[in-house]
Amino acid sequence: MTTPGSPPVSSTLEEEKKHHKETSFDAEVASHAPRLRGRKLTVSIAFVAGTGFTLFGFLLINQSQFEKVFPQVVVDSSHPNHATLQSFVVAIYEIGCLMGALSNLWVGDRLGRRRTIALGGCIMIIGAILQTTSYSYAQLVVARIVTGVGNGLNTSTVPSYHAELSSAAKRGALILIEGSLITFGWIDFGLFWASGSSAQWRVPIALQIVLALVMVFGIGFVAVDRLVRQNRNAEAMAVISALENKTPDDTEVQRTYHAIREAVAIEDFGASSGLGDKHAPQNHKRSPLRKLLVGGRSQHFRRASLGTILFQRLGLSDVTSRLIAAANGTEYFLASIIAIFIIDRIGRRKLMLFGAVGQCITMILLAVLGSVQGAGAQVVSAVLLFVFNSFFAIGWLGMTWLYPAEIVGLEIRAPANALSTSSNWIFNFVVVMVTGPSFNNISWGTYIVFAALNAFIIPVVYFFFPETAGRSLEDMDVVFALAYNEGVSPVAVSLRKDIPLAGSPEADRILGIETVDQKVDASGKTS
Protein backbone atom coordinates (compact mmCIF):
# COMPACT_ATOMS: atom_id res chain seq x y z
CA MET A 1 0.00 0.00 0.00
CA THR A 2 1.33 3.44 -0.98
CA THR A 3 0.78 6.66 0.87
CA PRO A 4 -1.10 9.49 -0.87
CA GLY A 5 1.12 11.57 -3.16
CA SER A 6 3.90 8.94 -3.34
CA PRO A 7 4.92 7.46 -6.76
CA PRO A 8 3.65 3.96 -7.60
CA VAL A 9 5.96 1.09 -6.70
CA SER A 10 6.04 -0.11 -10.34
CA SER A 11 7.15 3.35 -11.53
CA THR A 12 9.94 3.45 -8.97
CA LEU A 13 11.15 0.00 -10.00
CA GLU A 14 11.17 0.99 -13.68
CA GLU A 15 13.23 4.10 -12.93
CA GLU A 16 15.69 2.07 -10.87
CA LYS A 17 15.96 -0.53 -13.65
CA LYS A 18 16.54 2.19 -16.26
CA HIS A 19 19.16 3.85 -14.07
CA HIS A 20 20.93 0.51 -13.61
CA LYS A 21 21.01 -0.07 -17.40
CA GLU A 22 22.31 3.44 -18.04
CA THR A 23 25.05 2.95 -15.46
CA SER A 24 25.90 -0.44 -16.95
CA PHE A 25 26.09 0.98 -20.51
CA ASP A 26 28.18 3.95 -19.37
CA ALA A 27 30.59 1.54 -17.70
CA GLU A 28 30.78 -0.57 -20.86
CA VAL A 29 31.53 2.53 -22.96
CA ALA A 30 34.26 3.51 -20.52
CA SER A 31 35.77 0.00 -20.71
CA HIS A 32 36.12 0.30 -24.49
CA ALA A 33 37.70 3.76 -24.43
CA PRO A 34 40.84 3.86 -26.63
CA ARG A 35 44.15 4.61 -24.95
CA LEU A 36 44.47 7.79 -27.02
CA ARG A 37 41.96 10.58 -27.59
CA GLY A 38 41.52 13.61 -29.81
CA ARG A 39 44.59 14.87 -31.68
CA LYS A 40 46.86 12.08 -30.41
CA LEU A 41 44.46 9.44 -31.69
CA THR A 42 44.05 11.23 -35.04
CA VAL A 43 47.83 11.51 -35.49
CA SER A 44 48.32 7.84 -34.62
CA ILE A 45 45.75 6.72 -37.17
CA ALA A 46 47.28 9.00 -39.80
CA PHE A 47 50.75 7.59 -39.05
CA VAL A 48 49.63 3.99 -39.46
CA ALA A 49 47.65 4.77 -42.62
CA GLY A 50 50.57 6.75 -44.05
CA THR A 51 52.97 3.89 -43.35
CA GLY A 52 50.69 1.64 -45.38
CA PHE A 53 51.06 3.93 -48.37
CA THR A 54 54.85 4.17 -48.15
CA LEU A 55 54.78 0.44 -48.93
CA PHE A 56 54.00 1.08 -52.59
CA GLY A 57 56.34 -1.37 -54.28
CA PHE A 58 59.08 -0.19 -56.57
CA LEU A 59 61.75 -1.95 -58.58
CA LEU A 60 65.02 -0.35 -59.61
CA ILE A 61 65.22 -2.07 -63.00
CA ASN A 62 67.79 0.35 -64.41
CA GLN A 63 70.40 -0.23 -61.70
CA SER A 64 73.61 -1.85 -63.02
CA GLN A 65 73.69 -4.55 -60.35
CA PHE A 66 70.06 -5.43 -61.00
CA GLU A 67 70.81 -5.85 -64.70
CA LYS A 68 73.71 -8.23 -63.88
CA VAL A 69 71.43 -10.51 -61.86
CA PHE A 70 68.51 -10.23 -64.29
CA PRO A 71 69.88 -9.78 -67.84
CA GLN A 72 66.33 -10.26 -69.16
CA VAL A 73 65.61 -6.58 -68.41
CA VAL A 74 68.53 -5.22 -70.45
CA VAL A 75 67.20 -3.66 -73.64
CA ASP A 76 69.65 -3.28 -76.52
CA SER A 77 69.81 -3.78 -80.27
CA SER A 78 70.61 -7.48 -79.93
CA HIS A 79 67.68 -8.09 -77.55
CA PRO A 80 64.80 -5.81 -78.63
CA ASN A 81 62.26 -8.22 -77.14
CA HIS A 82 63.65 -7.47 -73.68
CA ALA A 83 61.58 -4.29 -73.64
CA THR A 84 58.55 -6.50 -73.10
CA LEU A 85 60.28 -8.54 -70.38
CA GLN A 86 61.38 -5.34 -68.68
CA SER A 87 57.84 -3.95 -68.72
CA PHE A 88 56.43 -7.31 -67.61
CA VAL A 89 58.50 -7.62 -64.42
CA VAL A 90 57.33 -4.13 -63.42
CA ALA A 91 53.72 -4.58 -64.51
CA ILE A 92 53.23 -8.01 -62.94
CA TYR A 93 53.22 -6.24 -59.59
CA GLU A 94 50.04 -4.50 -60.69
CA ILE A 95 48.45 -7.90 -61.35
CA GLY A 96 49.29 -8.98 -57.81
CA CYS A 97 47.78 -5.74 -56.51
CA LEU A 98 44.69 -6.43 -58.62
CA MET A 99 44.35 -9.90 -57.08
CA GLY A 100 44.70 -8.46 -53.58
CA ALA A 101 42.16 -5.71 -54.20
CA LEU A 102 39.62 -8.13 -55.69
CA SER A 103 40.05 -10.52 -52.76
CA ASN A 104 38.81 -7.69 -50.57
CA LEU A 105 35.37 -8.25 -52.09
CA TRP A 106 35.16 -11.37 -49.91
CA VAL A 107 37.42 -10.73 -46.94
CA GLY A 108 36.95 -6.98 -46.37
CA ASP A 109 33.75 -7.01 -44.31
CA ARG A 110 34.41 -10.47 -42.86
CA LEU A 111 37.76 -9.59 -41.32
CA GLY A 112 37.11 -5.89 -40.74
CA ARG A 113 39.41 -3.02 -41.66
CA ARG A 114 42.19 -3.58 -39.11
CA ARG A 115 42.58 -7.32 -39.64
CA THR A 116 42.58 -6.89 -43.41
CA ILE A 117 45.35 -4.27 -43.17
CA ALA A 118 47.37 -6.53 -40.86
CA LEU A 119 46.92 -9.46 -43.25
CA GLY A 120 48.04 -7.32 -46.18
CA GLY A 121 51.12 -6.23 -44.25
CA CYS A 122 52.11 -9.82 -43.42
CA ILE A 123 51.75 -10.88 -47.06
CA MET A 124 53.87 -7.91 -48.13
CA ILE A 125 56.62 -8.94 -45.70
CA ILE A 126 56.73 -12.40 -47.28
CA GLY A 127 56.80 -10.91 -50.78
CA ALA A 128 59.51 -8.39 -49.90
CA ILE A 129 61.70 -11.16 -48.45
CA LEU A 130 61.26 -13.19 -51.65
CA GLN A 131 62.13 -10.15 -53.79
CA THR A 132 65.18 -9.24 -51.73
CA THR A 133 66.56 -12.77 -52.00
CA SER A 134 65.79 -13.23 -55.71
CA TYR A 135 68.48 -14.59 -58.03
CA SER A 136 66.28 -15.64 -60.95
CA TYR A 137 63.80 -13.84 -63.16
CA ALA A 138 61.07 -16.39 -62.35
CA GLN A 139 61.49 -15.97 -58.58
CA LEU A 140 61.38 -12.21 -58.95
CA VAL A 141 58.12 -12.38 -60.91
CA VAL A 142 56.48 -14.64 -58.30
CA ALA A 143 57.76 -12.43 -55.47
CA ARG A 144 56.36 -9.34 -57.18
CA ILE A 145 52.94 -11.00 -57.41
CA VAL A 146 52.97 -11.96 -53.71
CA THR A 147 54.00 -8.46 -52.65
CA GLY A 148 51.31 -7.02 -54.92
CA VAL A 149 48.59 -9.13 -53.28
CA GLY A 150 49.46 -7.64 -49.91
CA ASN A 151 49.59 -4.11 -51.29
CA GLY A 152 46.26 -4.62 -53.06
CA LEU A 153 44.64 -5.54 -49.75
CA ASN A 154 46.17 -2.49 -48.07
CA THR A 155 45.39 0.09 -50.75
CA SER A 156 41.76 -1.04 -50.98
CA THR A 157 41.31 -0.89 -47.20
CA VAL A 158 43.49 1.86 -45.71
CA PRO A 159 41.63 4.82 -47.35
CA SER A 160 38.24 3.50 -46.16
CA TYR A 161 39.58 2.85 -42.66
CA HIS A 162 41.10 6.32 -42.46
CA ALA A 163 38.04 8.03 -43.97
CA GLU A 164 35.70 6.36 -41.47
CA LEU A 165 37.85 7.61 -38.60
CA SER A 166 38.33 11.19 -39.83
CA SER A 167 36.17 14.27 -39.32
CA ALA A 168 34.51 15.80 -42.37
CA ALA A 169 36.45 19.03 -41.92
CA LYS A 170 39.89 17.38 -42.02
CA ARG A 171 39.32 14.13 -43.91
CA GLY A 172 40.64 15.39 -47.24
CA ALA A 173 43.93 16.68 -45.84
CA LEU A 174 44.55 13.59 -43.72
CA ILE A 175 44.08 11.13 -46.57
CA LEU A 176 46.05 13.25 -49.05
CA ILE A 177 49.01 12.91 -46.71
CA GLU A 178 48.96 9.20 -47.59
CA GLY A 179 49.24 10.03 -51.29
CA SER A 180 52.15 12.37 -50.63
CA LEU A 181 54.14 9.60 -48.95
CA ILE A 182 54.19 7.62 -52.22
CA THR A 183 56.31 10.19 -54.00
CA PHE A 184 59.73 10.74 -52.44
CA GLY A 185 62.41 9.41 -54.78
CA TRP A 186 65.95 9.90 -53.46
CA ILE A 187 66.50 6.26 -52.36
CA ASP A 188 66.86 5.25 -56.03
CA PHE A 189 69.54 7.88 -56.67
CA GLY A 190 71.33 7.35 -53.36
CA LEU A 191 71.75 3.59 -53.87
CA PHE A 192 72.76 4.10 -57.52
CA TRP A 193 76.31 4.81 -56.33
CA ALA A 194 76.58 1.39 -54.64
CA SER A 195 77.49 0.04 -58.05
CA GLY A 196 79.75 -2.74 -56.76
CA SER A 197 77.07 -4.52 -54.72
CA SER A 198 73.60 -5.96 -55.21
CA ALA A 199 72.65 -3.86 -52.16
CA GLN A 200 72.09 -1.21 -54.82
CA TRP A 201 68.63 -2.68 -55.43
CA ARG A 202 68.12 -5.17 -52.57
CA VAL A 203 68.28 -2.61 -49.73
CA PRO A 204 65.44 -0.39 -51.03
CA ILE A 205 63.21 -3.43 -51.48
CA ALA A 206 64.13 -4.75 -48.00
CA LEU A 207 63.07 -1.41 -46.50
CA GLN A 208 59.48 -2.45 -47.26
CA ILE A 209 59.85 -5.16 -44.60
CA VAL A 210 60.60 -2.57 -41.92
CA LEU A 211 57.70 -0.35 -42.97
CA ALA A 212 55.31 -3.32 -43.10
CA LEU A 213 56.30 -4.36 -39.57
CA VAL A 214 55.61 -0.82 -38.34
CA MET A 215 52.18 -0.90 -39.97
CA VAL A 216 51.22 -4.36 -38.64
CA PHE A 217 52.20 -3.51 -35.06
CA GLY A 218 50.82 0.01 -35.38
CA ILE A 219 47.39 -1.12 -36.50
CA GLY A 220 47.24 -3.30 -33.37
CA PHE A 221 48.11 -0.33 -31.16
CA VAL A 222 45.51 1.95 -32.75
CA ALA A 223 42.75 -0.46 -31.75
CA VAL A 224 39.71 1.43 -32.98
CA ASP A 225 37.02 0.45 -35.44
CA ARG A 226 33.84 2.49 -35.85
CA LEU A 227 31.75 -0.12 -37.64
CA VAL A 228 28.57 -0.88 -35.77
CA ARG A 229 27.13 -3.53 -38.03
CA GLN A 230 28.19 -6.15 -35.47
CA ASN A 231 26.04 -4.37 -32.89
CA ARG A 232 29.07 -3.32 -30.83
CA ASN A 233 27.25 -0.25 -29.61
CA ALA A 234 29.30 0.61 -26.54
CA GLU A 235 32.56 0.25 -28.48
CA ALA A 236 31.23 2.43 -31.29
CA MET A 237 30.17 5.12 -28.85
CA ALA A 238 33.57 5.00 -27.12
CA VAL A 239 35.46 5.37 -30.41
CA ILE A 240 33.33 8.27 -31.66
CA SER A 241 33.71 9.99 -28.31
CA ALA A 242 37.50 9.54 -28.39
CA LEU A 243 37.84 10.72 -32.00
CA GLU A 244 35.89 13.90 -31.30
CA ASN A 245 37.43 14.22 -27.82
CA LYS A 246 34.01 14.77 -26.28
CA THR A 247 31.87 12.96 -23.74
CA PRO A 248 29.46 10.24 -24.97
CA ASP A 249 26.41 12.38 -24.09
CA ASP A 250 27.62 15.29 -26.26
CA THR A 251 25.10 16.32 -28.95
CA GLU A 252 27.57 15.90 -31.83
CA VAL A 253 28.68 12.49 -30.61
CA GLN A 254 25.04 11.41 -30.34
CA ARG A 255 24.23 12.69 -33.85
CA THR A 256 27.24 10.97 -35.40
CA TYR A 257 26.38 7.71 -33.69
CA HIS A 258 22.76 8.04 -34.80
CA ALA A 259 23.79 8.68 -38.44
CA ILE A 260 26.02 5.61 -38.52
CA ARG A 261 23.31 3.41 -37.03
CA GLU A 262 20.93 4.71 -39.69
CA ALA A 263 23.38 3.66 -42.40
CA VAL A 264 23.61 0.19 -40.86
CA ALA A 265 19.81 -0.02 -40.51
CA ILE A 266 19.38 0.89 -44.19
CA GLU A 267 21.91 -1.76 -45.15
CA ASP A 268 20.15 -4.38 -43.04
CA PHE A 269 16.77 -3.36 -44.48
CA GLY A 270 18.04 -3.72 -48.02
CA ALA A 271 19.58 -7.11 -47.27
CA SER A 272 16.40 -8.48 -45.68
CA SER A 273 13.70 -7.02 -47.93
CA GLY A 274 15.45 -6.46 -51.26
CA LEU A 275 16.27 -3.20 -52.94
CA GLY A 276 13.12 -3.24 -54.97
CA ASP A 277 10.75 -3.12 -52.03
CA LYS A 278 8.36 -0.19 -52.39
CA HIS A 279 8.78 0.63 -48.71
CA ALA A 280 12.58 0.78 -48.94
CA PRO A 281 14.25 3.87 -47.53
CA GLN A 282 15.17 6.53 -50.06
CA ASN A 283 18.81 5.61 -49.70
CA HIS A 284 18.06 2.35 -51.51
CA LYS A 285 15.61 3.74 -54.05
CA ARG A 286 18.51 5.16 -55.98
CA SER A 287 20.93 2.59 -57.37
CA PRO A 288 24.35 2.36 -55.72
CA LEU A 289 25.73 1.66 -59.20
CA ARG A 290 26.28 5.35 -59.93
CA LYS A 291 28.41 5.82 -56.83
CA LEU A 292 30.35 2.66 -57.62
CA LEU A 293 31.08 3.82 -61.18
CA VAL A 294 32.09 7.31 -60.06
CA GLY A 295 34.52 5.89 -57.50
CA GLY A 296 35.92 3.49 -60.07
CA ARG A 297 36.39 6.17 -62.71
CA SER A 298 38.38 8.33 -60.31
CA GLN A 299 40.86 5.47 -59.96
CA HIS A 300 41.01 5.04 -63.75
CA PHE A 301 42.45 8.52 -63.99
CA ARG A 302 45.69 7.65 -62.22
CA ARG A 303 48.89 7.04 -64.13
CA ALA A 304 51.96 5.00 -63.41
CA SER A 305 55.13 6.78 -62.33
CA LEU A 306 57.90 6.04 -64.84
CA GLY A 307 60.24 8.92 -64.02
CA THR A 308 63.68 7.54 -64.79
CA ILE A 309 62.55 5.76 -67.98
CA LEU A 310 60.82 8.89 -69.33
CA PHE A 311 63.86 11.07 -68.67
CA GLN A 312 66.06 8.51 -70.45
CA ARG A 313 63.65 8.67 -73.41
CA LEU A 314 64.61 12.33 -73.69
CA GLY A 315 68.15 11.25 -74.52
CA LEU A 316 69.67 12.16 -71.14
CA SER A 317 72.57 10.16 -69.71
CA ASP A 318 72.02 7.44 -67.11
CA VAL A 319 73.34 9.50 -64.17
CA THR A 320 71.66 12.71 -65.31
CA SER A 321 68.32 10.97 -65.82
CA ARG A 322 68.49 9.49 -62.31
CA LEU A 323 69.48 12.76 -60.70
CA ILE A 324 66.64 14.61 -62.43
CA ALA A 325 64.18 11.79 -61.66
CA ALA A 326 65.13 11.94 -57.95
CA ALA A 327 64.78 15.72 -57.96
CA ASN A 328 61.47 15.28 -59.75
CA GLY A 329 60.35 12.96 -56.96
CA THR A 330 61.21 15.63 -54.40
CA GLU A 331 59.36 18.32 -56.36
CA TYR A 332 56.48 15.85 -56.78
CA PHE A 333 56.35 15.44 -52.99
CA LEU A 334 56.47 19.19 -52.36
CA ALA A 335 53.71 19.84 -54.91
CA SER A 336 51.49 17.23 -53.25
CA ILE A 337 51.76 19.17 -49.98
CA ILE A 338 49.97 22.10 -51.63
CA ALA A 339 46.88 19.95 -52.09
CA ILE A 340 46.89 18.95 -48.41
CA PHE A 341 46.41 22.58 -47.34
CA ILE A 342 43.69 23.48 -49.87
CA ILE A 343 41.69 20.29 -50.44
CA ASP A 344 39.14 20.96 -47.68
CA ARG A 345 38.86 24.66 -48.53
CA ILE A 346 38.21 24.63 -52.26
CA GLY A 347 36.81 21.12 -52.63
CA ARG A 348 37.51 18.00 -54.65
CA ARG A 349 36.00 18.91 -58.01
CA LYS A 350 38.04 22.08 -58.59
CA LEU A 351 41.30 20.31 -57.83
CA MET A 352 40.46 17.41 -60.14
CA LEU A 353 39.53 19.76 -62.99
CA PHE A 354 42.64 21.88 -62.40
CA GLY A 355 44.86 18.80 -62.54
CA ALA A 356 43.23 17.34 -65.65
CA VAL A 357 43.45 20.58 -67.64
CA GLY A 358 47.09 21.13 -66.66
CA GLN A 359 48.05 17.54 -67.46
CA CYS A 360 46.39 17.70 -70.87
CA ILE A 361 48.15 20.93 -71.86
CA THR A 362 51.50 19.61 -70.62
CA MET A 363 51.20 16.41 -72.67
CA ILE A 364 50.37 18.40 -75.80
CA LEU A 365 53.49 20.52 -75.30
CA LEU A 366 55.62 17.40 -74.73
CA ALA A 367 54.33 15.94 -78.00
CA VAL A 368 55.25 19.12 -79.87
CA LEU A 369 58.73 19.23 -78.35
CA GLY A 370 59.19 15.52 -78.97
CA SER A 371 58.95 16.15 -82.70
CA VAL A 372 61.79 18.69 -82.44
CA GLN A 373 65.42 17.62 -82.20
CA GLY A 374 67.97 19.53 -80.13
CA ALA A 375 69.37 20.13 -76.66
CA GLY A 376 66.97 23.00 -76.05
CA ALA A 377 63.94 20.77 -76.65
CA GLN A 378 65.36 18.19 -74.21
CA VAL A 379 65.75 20.76 -71.46
CA VAL A 380 62.24 22.15 -71.92
CA SER A 381 60.78 18.63 -72.07
CA ALA A 382 62.49 17.75 -68.79
CA VAL A 383 61.00 20.86 -67.19
CA LEU A 384 57.55 19.94 -68.54
CA LEU A 385 57.75 16.52 -66.89
CA PHE A 386 58.21 18.41 -63.61
CA VAL A 387 55.19 20.54 -64.53
CA PHE A 388 53.08 17.49 -65.34
CA ASN A 389 53.91 15.88 -62.01
CA SER A 390 52.98 19.11 -60.24
CA PHE A 391 49.53 19.17 -61.82
CA PHE A 392 49.06 15.49 -61.07
CA ALA A 393 50.27 15.82 -57.46
CA ILE A 394 47.88 18.68 -56.75
CA GLY A 395 44.85 17.35 -58.62
CA TRP A 396 44.96 13.57 -58.59
CA LEU A 397 47.73 11.92 -56.57
CA GLY A 398 45.86 11.51 -53.29
CA MET A 399 42.42 12.25 -54.74
CA THR A 400 42.03 8.84 -56.33
CA TRP A 401 42.38 7.20 -52.90
CA LEU A 402 40.25 9.76 -51.06
CA TYR A 403 37.29 10.11 -53.40
CA PRO A 404 36.16 6.46 -53.75
CA ALA A 405 36.14 6.11 -49.95
CA GLU A 406 33.91 9.20 -49.64
CA ILE A 407 31.41 8.68 -52.43
CA VAL A 408 29.99 5.25 -51.55
CA GLY A 409 27.71 4.33 -48.67
CA LEU A 410 28.43 1.88 -45.89
CA GLU A 411 26.48 -0.94 -47.54
CA ILE A 412 28.93 -1.18 -50.45
CA ARG A 413 31.99 0.67 -49.17
CA ALA A 414 34.30 -2.35 -48.81
CA PRO A 415 33.43 -4.01 -52.15
CA ALA A 416 33.25 -0.65 -53.96
CA ASN A 417 36.72 0.33 -52.79
CA ALA A 418 37.98 -3.11 -53.74
CA LEU A 419 36.63 -2.64 -57.27
CA SER A 420 37.79 0.97 -57.62
CA THR A 421 41.28 0.06 -56.43
CA SER A 422 41.25 -2.89 -58.83
CA SER A 423 40.56 -0.50 -61.69
CA ASN A 424 43.62 1.51 -60.62
CA TRP A 425 45.86 -1.53 -60.83
CA ILE A 426 44.38 -2.66 -64.15
CA PHE A 427 45.07 0.71 -65.75
CA ASN A 428 48.52 0.91 -64.15
CA PHE A 429 49.29 -2.51 -65.64
CA VAL A 430 48.20 -1.33 -69.09
CA VAL A 431 50.21 1.90 -68.85
CA VAL A 432 53.36 0.15 -67.65
CA MET A 433 53.09 -2.55 -70.32
CA VAL A 434 52.48 -0.22 -73.25
CA THR A 435 54.66 2.79 -72.39
CA GLY A 436 58.02 1.21 -73.27
CA PRO A 437 56.89 -0.44 -76.53
CA SER A 438 54.84 2.66 -77.40
CA PHE A 439 57.85 4.97 -77.20
CA ASN A 440 59.84 2.47 -79.26
CA ASN A 441 57.19 2.43 -81.99
CA ILE A 442 55.50 5.86 -82.13
CA SER A 443 57.95 7.91 -80.06
CA TRP A 444 56.49 11.31 -79.15
CA GLY A 445 53.09 10.20 -80.42
CA THR A 446 52.71 8.47 -77.05
CA TYR A 447 52.26 11.90 -75.49
CA ILE A 448 49.32 12.59 -77.81
CA VAL A 449 47.58 9.46 -76.50
CA PHE A 450 48.15 10.63 -72.91
CA ALA A 451 46.87 14.12 -73.79
CA ALA A 452 43.64 12.67 -75.21
CA LEU A 453 43.08 10.57 -72.09
CA ASN A 454 43.54 13.61 -69.86
CA ALA A 455 41.14 15.65 -72.00
CA PHE A 456 38.52 12.93 -71.51
CA ILE A 457 38.72 13.37 -67.74
CA ILE A 458 37.45 16.97 -67.80
CA PRO A 459 33.80 16.49 -68.89
CA VAL A 460 33.47 13.29 -66.85
CA VAL A 461 34.43 15.08 -63.63
CA TYR A 462 32.33 18.16 -64.40
CA PHE A 463 29.09 16.29 -65.13
CA PHE A 464 29.30 13.18 -62.95
CA PHE A 465 31.46 13.76 -59.85
CA PRO A 466 29.54 15.20 -56.82
CA GLU A 467 31.38 17.42 -54.36
CA THR A 468 32.18 15.69 -51.05
CA ALA A 469 34.17 18.37 -49.21
CA GLY A 470 32.88 19.27 -45.75
CA ARG A 471 30.40 16.39 -45.61
CA SER A 472 30.57 13.27 -43.50
CA LEU A 473 30.43 9.88 -45.21
CA GLU A 474 26.83 9.53 -44.05
CA ASP A 475 25.96 13.01 -45.39
CA MET A 476 26.60 11.73 -48.93
CA ASP A 477 23.71 9.28 -48.51
CA VAL A 478 21.49 12.28 -47.84
CA VAL A 479 22.82 14.03 -50.97
CA PHE A 480 22.03 11.08 -53.23
CA ALA A 481 18.63 10.47 -51.62
CA LEU A 482 17.64 14.14 -52.02
CA ALA A 483 18.76 14.07 -55.66
CA TYR A 484 16.54 11.03 -56.19
CA ASN A 485 13.57 12.67 -54.47
CA GLU A 486 13.86 15.83 -56.56
CA GLY A 487 14.81 14.09 -59.80
CA VAL A 488 18.00 16.14 -60.27
CA SER A 489 21.70 15.40 -60.60
CA PRO A 490 23.58 14.53 -57.40
CA VAL A 491 26.28 16.92 -58.62
CA ALA A 492 23.87 19.87 -58.41
CA VAL A 493 22.63 18.80 -54.97
CA SER A 494 26.17 18.35 -53.65
CA LEU A 495 26.95 22.00 -54.44
CA ARG A 496 24.04 23.28 -52.34
CA LYS A 497 24.50 24.67 -48.84
CA ASP A 498 21.09 23.72 -47.43
CA ILE A 499 21.58 19.95 -47.12
CA PRO A 500 20.72 18.76 -43.58
CA LEU A 501 23.33 16.80 -41.65
CA ALA A 502 22.96 13.03 -41.45
CA GLY A 503 21.43 11.98 -38.16
CA SER A 504 19.13 15.01 -37.97
CA PRO A 505 15.33 14.69 -38.19
CA GLU A 506 15.36 16.53 -41.56
CA ALA A 507 17.84 14.01 -42.97
CA ASP A 508 15.72 11.16 -41.60
CA ARG A 509 12.74 12.41 -43.60
CA ILE A 510 14.82 12.70 -46.79
CA LEU A 511 16.10 9.15 -46.33
CA GLY A 512 12.60 7.90 -45.67
CA ILE A 513 13.47 6.75 -42.16
CA GLU A 514 11.07 7.17 -39.26
CA THR A 515 12.42 9.96 -37.06
CA VAL A 516 13.72 8.70 -33.75
CA ASP A 517 15.05 10.30 -30.64
CA GLN A 518 18.79 10.76 -31.01
CA LYS A 519 19.51 10.05 -27.35
CA VAL A 520 21.08 6.61 -26.90
CA ASP A 521 19.37 4.50 -24.24
CA ALA A 522 20.94 2.14 -21.75
CA SER A 523 21.15 -0.76 -24.21
CA GLY A 524 23.08 1.37 -26.67
CA LYS A 525 20.18 1.62 -29.12
CA THR A 526 18.30 4.71 -30.19
CA SER A 527 14.78 4.91 -28.90
Side-chain angles (χ1 to χ4, degrees):
M1 184 173 180
T2 61
T3 59
S6 63
V9 175
S10 60
S11 175
T12 303
L13 290 175
E14 284 295 326
E15 289 179 1
E16 290 179 354
K17 185 177 180 181
K18 181 179 180 181
H19 176 73
H20 176 74
K21 286 183 177 181
E22 288 177 349
T23 303
S24 176
F25 181 70
D26 290 342
E28 189 177 358
V29 171
S31 69
H32 286 294
R35 286 167 283 185
L36 303 175
R37 294 182 64 86
R39 181 182 292 274
K40 291 182 179 179
L41 179 58
T42 300
V43 170
S44 298
I45 295 170
F47 174 77
V48 172
T51 303
F53 266 68
T54 59
L55 287 169
F56 258 70
F58 53 92
L59 196 60
L60 309 181
I61 60 175
N62 299 105
Q63 302 283 30
S64 59
Q65 288 296 320
F66 186 87
E67 293 174 347
K68 288 181 180 179
V69 179
F70 308 105
Q72 296 90 340
V73 304
V74 179
V75 181
D76 52 34
S77 57
S78 59
H79 301 94
N81 64 313
H82 281 192
T84 301
L85 293 176
Q86 183 189 84
S87 295
F88 180 76
V89 75
V90 177
I92 197 63
Y93 177 77
E94 321 292 344
I95 296 301
C97 292
L98 171 64
M99 294 166 59
L102 288 176
S103 67
N104 221 357
L105 289 168
W106 295 276
V107 305
D109 283 331
R110 287 178 174 85
L111 295 180
R113 309 286 193 254
R114 289 189 295 118
R115 290 179 181 176
T116 302
I117 294 171
L119 174 63
C122 292
I123 294 174
M124 286 200 75
I125 291 172
I126 296 172
I129 292 173
L130 292 174
Q131 282 191 80
T132 305
T133 58
S134 291
Y135 280 94
S136 71
Y137 185 84
Q139 180 184 345
L140 182 65
V141 168
V142 173
R144 297 277 291 167
I145 294 173
V146 174
T147 310
V149 170
N151 194 48
L153 282 169
N154 288 338
T155 54
S156 59
T157 307
V158 169
S160 294
Y161 172 77
H162 202 181
E164 289 173 341
L165 296 173
S166 301
S167 66
K170 299 179 180 178
R171 185 176 60 243
L174 290 171
I175 296 181
L176 257 59
I177 292 174
E178 298 169 13
S180 297
L181 294 174
I182 301 171
T183 62
F184 204 74
W186 280 97
I187 293 177
D188 181 1
F189 183 71
L191 270 297
F192 172 71
W193 301 104
S195 57
S197 170
S198 62
Q200 187 185 59
W201 62 272
R202 296 187 193 275
V203 170
I205 294 175
L207 285 176
Q208 295 180 82
I209 301 172
V210 177
L211 294 171
L213 287 171
V214 171
M215 182 186 68
V216 170
F217 285 104
I219 203 70
F221 174 72
V222 186
V224 293
D225 192 337
R226 202 178 69 173
L227 293 179
V228 295
R229 78 162 46 85
Q230 296 176 349
N231 210 30
R232 304 192 318 236
N233 299 298
E235 182 179 353
M237 180 63 74
V239 170
I240 296 169
S241 173
L243 287 169
E244 299 192 12
N245 201 21
K246 298 176 181 177
T247 60
D249 59 356
D250 181 83
T251 303
E252 282 301 303
V253 173
Q254 293 282 330
R255 187 188 61 77
T256 301
Y257 176 85
H258 178 68
I260 296 170
R261 284 195 61 84
E262 280 182 353
V264 174
I266 291 171
E267 177 187 8
D268 293 341
F269 185 95
S272 62
S273 65
L275 302 185
D277 193 294
K278 67 180 181 179
H279 299 297
Q282 295 293 346
N283 189 49
H284 274 307
K285 286 185 177 180
R286 54 101 180 102
S287 170
L289 181 61
R290 176 182 177 122
K291 297 205 290 188
L292 176 60
L293 292 177
V294 168
R297 280 198 293 265
S298 71
Q299 283 282 15
H300 291 174
F301 299 152
R302 283 188 56 85
R303 64 94 177 89
S305 179
L306 300 168
T308 300
I309 294 176
L310 289 178
F311 284 117
Q312 288 177 334
R313 297 287 178 181
L314 297 177
L316 302 175
S317 68
D318 194 26
V319 175
T320 303
S321 64
R322 289 180 189 285
L323 178 59
I324 296 178
N328 190 27
T330 303
E331 186 273 339
Y332 193 21
F333 170 75
L334 295 175
S336 68
I337 294 176
I338 297 173
I340 294 173
F341 288 100
I342 64 177
I343 179 70
D344 290 312
R345 295 182 182 180
I346 68 175
R348 284 48 162 167
R349 283 166 48 86
K350 290 179 181 178
L351 281 186
M352 286 189 277
L353 291 170
F354 170 78
V357 171
Q359 290 164 203
C360 180
I361 294 173
T362 305
M363 283 295 164
I364 292 173
L365 294 175
L366 281 168
V368 172
L369 290 169
S371 64
V372 179
Q373 299 297 324
Q378 287 184 351
V379 172
V380 177
S381 295
V383 172
L384 284 175
L385 286 175
F386 278 75
V387 174
F388 177 86
N389 267 2
S390 298
F391 280 116
F392 181 79
I394 295 172
W396 287 94
L397 176 62
M399 191 72 70
T400 52
W401 305 107
L402 165 67
Y403 197 75
E406 292 183 315
I407 200 66
V408 294
L410 176 63
E411 75 275 14
I412 60 168
R413 187 170 298 143
N417 276 276
L419 289 174
S420 66
T421 305
S422 299
S423 73
N424 165 65
W425 298 119
I426 290 172
F427 275 76
N428 268 5
F429 174 78
V430 171
V431 170
V432 172
M433 281 301 295
V434 306
T435 297
S438 178
F439 273 107
N440 284 338
N441 288 283
I442 62 174
S443 186
W444 54 266
T446 305
Y447 291 121
I448 296 178
V449 176
F450 290 157
L453 292 173
N454 280 283
F456 174 71
I457 296 175
I458 299 169
V460 173
V461 170
Y462 186 83
F463 290 108
F464 299 106
F465 281 39
E467 181 57 68
T468 59
R471 302 191 189 280
S472 71
L473 304 185
E474 293 74 30
D475 286 341
M476 293 309 298
D477 283 330
V478 180
V479 168
F480 277 90
L482 186 59
Y484 175 88
N485 293 346
E486 298 179 356
V488 298
S489 168
V491 174
V493 175
S494 70
L495 299 175
R496 287 164 47 178
K497 304 296 184 183
D498 62 340
I499 310 301
L501 298 175
S504 65
E506 295 83 1
D508 291 343
R509 287 191 288 271
I510 292 172
L511 292 167
I513 299 173
E514 182 180 355
T515 302
V516 294
D517 183 6
Q518 296 182 46
K519 184 68 177 178
V520 180
D521 66 20
S523 66
K525 299 180 180 179
T526 51
S527 58

